[in-house]
Amino acid sequence: MKSVRRTLVRLKRFDKQEQAANRHRCEAAIVILLLLFVTLGARLWYLQAVSGQELRAQSERNRLRLVRLEPPRGKLLDRAGRLLAGVEPSFNVCLVREEARDIEATLAELVPILGEPEAVIRTRLALGAREPLYVPIAIKRGVDWETLSRIEARLFRLPGVLIEITPGRQYPHGGVAPHLLGYLGEVSQEELESRRFPGIRPGDLVGKSGIEARFDAELSGVRGQRWVEVDAAGRHVRVLGEVPPVPGNDLYLTIDLDLQQAAEAALGEDVGAVVAMDPQSGRLLALASAPGYDPLPFTTSLSQGQWDALNDPARRPLQNKAIQGRYAPGSTFKIVMAAAGLEEGVIDVNTSFRCTSSFRLGTRTFRCWDWRGHGQTNLYKALVESCDVYFYNVGLRLGIETMTRYARDFGLGSQTGIDLADESGGFIPTPEWKLGRFRERWQEGETLNAAIGQGFTLVTPLQMACLTAAVANGGELYRPVYLERVQGPAGQVLRAFEPEPRRRLPVSAGHLLTIQKALTGVVNDKRGTGKSCRLDGVHVAGKTGTAQVVKQAKRRQDEKMAWQYRDHAWFVAYAPAENPQLAVAVIVEHGGHGGATAAPVARKVFDRWFQLQTPRPVLTPQRTARSQAIGGVYSDG
C-alpha cells in the first residue's frame, strides 16, 4: 500500500509540473502571436498610411502606361504656299527598361537588325538614364519598312521593345535650300542640360540650324499624352484617356521655289552662293549655297562616310556661304568708291585719268587687270570696263578713313540683321585696326588695294545683295527678311511681314542715277565686262568683280593654277534697270573672272525670274524719265 501511495504522490507532483510547463508554453505562444499581430498591424499601417500614395502610383504604373503624343511639326512653305518641308509618319524603335527582362539579351538581338553601332545605341540609353523606367527611350529613329517588319516578327521575344509612330520631316523637293531651312537632329546631352527645349527627352528631334533652329518653339507645337491600360506582357488593352497634341505653326517664307531651284541649278557643281531679293522691300526670293546637302539623314543617323563628306575642308558643304562666307569684294566695291568720290567732290562725271595698265606709287607698281590699258577714262568708262587705275586715283584722293566711312554706310563691315544664327559681319579695315593687329602703320599702297576691293576688306554675298538692292531702289538699305507670315493650326495669321528699312545711303539721287547709268552699261555696252548677263528685252544693270586669292607675281608664274589658288568670281546686278524687281549677288569660289563665270549664273536666275512674270517685261518706246536717262547711255555692239 505504501508503494501505491508513493506512486500516486509522484503522479500528482508530475501533473503539477506538466501543468506549469504547459501554462508557460501557452503564455509564450500567446506572446509570440501578439507580437506577430502587432508586427503585421504595424506593417499594414506603414504600407497604407505612410507609403500608400507611392505604392498606389506604382500599382497604377503596372497597369497603366503614359504615352506621349508628338505633335505634327509645322510646315515650311514658299511664298506661293508650295511645300518645302512637310510631315510624314516616322517609325522609331524604343525600349521601355521597366518591362525589359534582360536588356543585354535584348540588345544582342536588336543590334544586328537595326544596323546601328552598338556604342551609338548604348549612348542613347545612357542619355535616357535619368528618365523614369517606364518612359520609352528611342534607340533608333526612322527605321525602314524592312527593319520594321523584322522587329515586329520578333516582338514576342523582345519584352520592353515597342514601335513608336511620330511625325517626321518630309522634303518633297529633296534638299532644296538646306542652308536656309536647316535640319533636325537628336537632342544632345548639352541641350538637355541647358533646358533650352522644355519637355524634351533623349532621342527627340530638335532644330539644329537655319529656320528649323530659329523657330523651333513655334514649329514643334505642344505635346499631348494618352493613358493606356496594358497587360502583364506590356500589350495595350484599352485607351483610358487622351489629351491631343497641338500641331506646330506653319511658316510661309518669302522664298520662291522656282527661283531657288534655278539658283541652285545655275551654281551646279561650283562652290559659291547666290542671293536674290526684292529691292523694293528686302524680301529674300532665293538664298542658295553650294555645295548643298540632304537634310533627311540628320533626322536618323549619318554614316561615317556621309559625315566625312559634309566636313570636306575645301568645299565646306555645311557652311551657309550666303551669310557666312567672307570674301574680298573685288571690283564690285567700285560701286562704293564711285558714290564716295561723287559725294565728296573729288571726282565728277567728267573727271578722267589716263590708264596705261599700271599705276606708280613710290617704288611700287600697281597694275590694272587689263594689260593693254584703258586709255583716257572717265567714271562711266571706269565702271563699265572696270578700270583699276581710275579707282587707284579716286582712292588716293579720298583716303582710307573716308573710304571706310562710306563702306560702313553701305552696310559693309556689320551684320545685315537677317534673323539667322552665325551671320558674319565681314570686315572693313582701318589704320587703327592695323596698328593694333600688326603693330604697323597704314600704308598708301594698302589704300590702293582697298580702293579696288582687295587687301583686308571682306564682305558676304548677302551684304552685297543688300547693297545692290539699295542702289537699285534709289538708296533705301533694307534688312533682309525671309519670313512672309506665321500661320497657326487653325489658319490664323499670327505674324506678318513688314519691310524694315535700316538706313538711307548717303548718296544724292543725281549721283545714284549716274552710277545706275554706268551699271546698266556694264551689261549692255559693247565693252562692258558683264555682257554675258544680257537678256533679250530686259535691261540688266550690274558690276563684275574678280577677287584675287594669291598675289599677281605667283599668278604669272603658273597659268594653269590649282583650283584653290584661282580668283573668286563676283557679279552683282538688278533688273529691269528702269524699274528694278530683282537684285542678285553671285559668288563663285575660285571661278576666275566675274564676267566669265559669275555673270552667266546671274543670267540664268534673271531669265527664270522673268519667265515666271506674266506678262514678261518688254522694252517699249514709252519710258519714264529714269528709263530714258538710263537706257540712252549704252550702245549695243
Side-chain angles (χ1 to χ4, degrees):
M1 291 296 292
K2 288 181 181 180
S3 60
V4 173
R5 198 177 295 118
R6 282 195 217 94
T7 302
L8 290 173
V9 171
R10 289 193 191 100
L11 288 173
K12 287 179 181 180
R13 289 177 181 170
F14 177 78
D15 288 340
K16 288 180 180 180
Q17 291 173 351
E18 185 67 23
Q19 287 176 0
N22 288 337
R23 186 169 60 253
H24 291 316
R25 292 191 189 99
C26 288
E27 290 173 351
I30 292 171
V31 170
I32 292 172
L33 288 174
L34 287 174
L35 289 174
L36 287 174
F37 278 113
V38 169
T39 302
L40 182 60
R43 181 60 178 167
L44 290 173
W45 174 84
Y46 175 81
L47 292 175
Q48 294 184 35
V50 178
S51 303
Q53 188 173 358
E54 179 184 353
L55 294 173
R56 189 177 300 108
Q58 290 181 3
S59 175
E60 289 296 316
R61 285 201 294 270
N62 290 334
R63 185 174 63 89
L64 303 178
R65 177 182 291 165
L66 181 63
V67 178
R68 291 201 326 170
L69 302 178
E70 294 293 329
R73 193 170 179 86
K75 299 185 289 292
L76 301 177
L77 308 102
D78 86 334
R79 67 189 194 126
R82 291 172 291 188
L83 193 63
L84 301 175
V87 179
E88 65 180 1
S90 176
F91 300 94
N92 306 331
V93 178
C94 300
L95 182 66
V96 181
R97 292 160 296 163
E98 186 179 57
E99 298 174 4
R101 300 191 188 98
D102 188 338
I103 292 180
E104 294 300 322
T106 300
L107 291 180
E109 186 160 358
L110 268 182
V111 168
I113 300 174
L114 295 177
E116 190 90 321
E118 184 175 349
V120 174
I121 294 177
R122 291 189 179 276
T123 298
R124 289 172 181 153
L125 284 174
L127 284 176
R130 297 181 181 179
E131 296 291 321
L133 294 176
Y134 59 87
V135 172
I137 303 298
I139 58 176
K140 173 73 173 179
R141 303 190 67 92
V143 297
D144 55 34
W145 282 105
E146 181 181 354
T147 303
L148 185 65
S149 60
R150 293 177 65 189
I151 292 175
E152 289 279 5
R154 294 168 172 79
L155 279 180
F156 69 95
R157 62 171 184 260
L158 295 172
V161 175
L162 60 89
I163 304 299
E164 183 181 62
I165 303 176
T166 60
R169 263 295 182 234
Q170 169 202 18
Y171 300 97
H173 302 285
V176 66
H179 299 90
L180 175 61
L181 302 185
Y183 63 89
L184 301 176
E186 286 189 27
V187 64
S188 66
Q189 181 65 48
E190 294 75 18
E191 288 167 332
L192 285 170
E193 294 173 354
S194 70
R195 303 190 181 277
R196 176 187 162 198
F197 304 98
I200 209 73
R201 73 181 186 191
D204 285 350
L205 297 178
V206 295
K208 294 286 189 175
S209 70
I211 295 174
E212 293 279 21
R214 170 62 186 84
F215 290 94
D216 186 82
E218 296 200 43
L219 288 167
S220 57
V222 180
R223 292 175 177 82
Q225 51 190 7
R226 175 185 297 150
W227 291 271
V228 179
E229 185 177 358
V230 296
D231 60 16
R235 293 185 293 265
H236 289 195
V237 176
R238 58 176 175 150
V239 175
L240 301 178
E242 178 176 312
V243 176
V246 179
N249 299 325
D250 296 333
L251 271 56
Y252 285 77
L253 309 182
T254 61
I255 297 299
D256 184 281
L257 175 60
D258 292 310
L259 198 66
Q260 179 70 31
Q261 291 177 322
E264 293 177 1
L267 283 170
E269 297 300 316
D270 289 326
V271 177
V274 174
V275 180
M277 66 190 305
D278 177 0
Q280 309 299 338
S281 66
R283 285 181 171 91
L284 287 170
L285 299 169
L287 192 79
S289 178
Y293 63 88
D294 183 1
L296 192 57
F298 286 92
T299 63
T300 53
S301 60
L302 291 168
S303 67
Q304 188 60 48
Q306 289 174 315
W307 182 246
D308 291 341
L310 289 170
N311 286 277
D312 178 0
R315 296 171 62 83
R316 309 179 309 284
L318 289 178
Q319 183 190 47
N320 187 347
K321 297 173 180 62
I323 69 171
Q324 296 173 328
R326 305 191 336 152
Y327 311 92
S331 292
T332 61
F333 190 74
K334 293 171 183 175
I335 298 174
V336 178
M337 292 296 298
L342 290 170
E343 284 298 314
E344 294 299 309
V346 301
I347 58 169
D348 58 30
V349 292
N350 298 315
T351 302
S352 66
F353 302 99
R354 183 164 186 78
C355 173
T356 60
S357 82
S358 64
F359 182 87
R360 191 80 173 174
L361 180 67
T363 59
R364 295 184 61 188
T365 299
F366 294 81
R367 301 189 178 278
C368 186
W369 72 270
D370 191 339
W371 61 270
R372 298 166 298 183
H374 293 96
Q376 202 65 30
T377 305
N378 61 13
L379 178 60
Y380 175 81
K381 183 179 179 181
L383 284 170
V384 168
E385 300 182 28
S386 200
C387 176
D388 293 335
V389 169
Y390 186 94
F391 288 99
Y392 290 149
N393 282 280
V394 175
L396 283 181
R397 291 189 177 191
L398 286 171
I400 188 60
E401 290 84 359
T402 302
M403 290 164 52
T404 297
R405 172 162 55 86
Y406 273 87
R408 289 176 174 168
D409 286 340
F410 272 72
L412 306 181
S414 61
Q415 295 179 338
T416 65
I418 188 173
D419 196 9
L420 288 174
D422 302 323
E423 180 194 6
S424 171
F427 183 70
I428 300 298
T430 64
E432 295 77 16
W433 165 81
K434 189 191 175 191
L435 186 62
R437 177 69 174 81
F438 297 106
R439 299 292 187 267
E440 296 177 0
R441 297 180 62 185
W442 189 267
Q443 304 295 319
E444 279 193 323
E446 292 168 321
T447 300
L448 299 191
N449 279 332
I452 61 169
Q454 304 290 350
F456 299 115
T457 303
L458 297 172
V459 299
T460 69
L462 181 60
Q463 288 175 332
M464 294 308 297
C466 293
L467 181 154
T468 305
V471 171
N473 67 31
E476 196 70 62
L477 190 65
Y478 284 100
R479 176 175 178 244
V481 178
Y482 57 79
L483 183 62
E484 188 66 40
R485 68 181 183 276
V486 178
Q487 194 165 292
Q492 71 277 26
V493 176
L494 304 177
R495 190 190 312 175
F497 165 86
E498 290 186 6
E500 299 182 38
R502 295 168 60 197
R503 67 168 73 95
R504 284 199 62 81
L505 300 182
V507 187
S508 69
H511 290 156
L512 270 180
L513 184 59
T514 297
I515 295 170
Q516 291 165 351
K517 290 178 183 180
L519 296 182
T520 305
V522 168
V523 178
N524 298 280
D525 194 288
K526 62 182 179 181
R527 295 184 65 84
T529 57
K531 52 182 175 288
S532 58
C533 191
R534 288 185 187 178
L535 285 178
D536 293 336
V538 178
H539 288 152
V540 178
K543 185 70 192 77
T544 57
T546 303
Q548 295 178 7
V549 176
V550 296
K551 293 182 179 180
Q552 284 191 350
K554 185 172 182 179
R555 289 150 59 87
R556 291 196 300 270
Q557 291 173 9
D558 185 8
E559 294 180 358
K560 297 181 179 179
M561 302 179 70
W563 176 81
Q564 65 268 27
Y565 299 127
R566 297 174 189 170
D567 298 335
H568 297 320
W570 274 105
F571 189 67
V572 297
Y574 59 89
E578 301 83 1
N579 182 28
Q581 299 178 14
L582 186 69
V584 174
V586 177
I587 179 73
V588 178
E589 291 188 13
H590 311 294
H593 293 287
T597 307
V601 172
R603 187 187 190 282
K604 293 177 182 178
V605 175
F606 281 119
D607 193 48
R608 181 56 178 155
W609 174 254
F610 290 117
Q611 285 177 6
L612 298 171
Q613 306 309 303
T614 306
R616 179 186 172 106
V618 176
L619 294 179
T620 62
Q622 293 78 29
R623 297 176 178 173
T624 64
R626 169 173 169 165
S627 68
Q628 290 174 351
I630 293 175
V633 173
Y634 62 87
S635 57
D636 291 318

